[in-house]
Amino acid sequence: MSSTAATAIPGAATHGSYLGSASIDLTATVHAAGQIATVALIVIAVAGFYLLTCAVWPFGKCRRCKGAGKFKSPFGNAYRHCGRCDGSGLRVRFGRKVVSYYRRTHTAASNSTSKGARK
């Protein structure tokens, strides 16, 4: 009684040399690395553009009051100021916080008294 599952045929002996499949694997790896590099470059460019726009336009609309700065009372015509933005209708964008943090850190490092030799 013979079983077809018991007769395994090695792939390297029937499908060409081992070096041929290694070069295909290397080509696929280089191609995948190129795709990853392209995606990383696009992400870096988008993040840089976002940080640049946050440096130019640091404020966005408050999310709670949608930029109005106030809420209308459910009864009558009374208004109250938004507690999150204190009635301005604006909030500081996340990218602006990153830019400000970098500037503070860079300024503090350049003003350090421990850098270099003292005269």
Side-chain angles (χ1 to χ4, degrees), residues 42-57 93 99:
I42 290 171
V43 167
I44 290 171
V46 168
F49 181 73
Y50 174 70
L51 290 176
L52 180 67
T53 58
C54 286
V56 175
W57 298 288
R93 295 167 73 183
V99 169

Side-chain angles (χ1 to χ4, degrees), residues 57-83:
W57 298 288
F59 298 106
K61 288 195 296 187
C62 175
R63 291 187 178 121
R64 184 177 290 172
C65 65
K66 298 180 181 74
K70 56 189 174 182
F71 290 106
K72 187 174 181 183
S73 171
F75 308 109
N77 293 329
Y79 286 96
R80 66 178 176 89
H81 290 289
C82 176

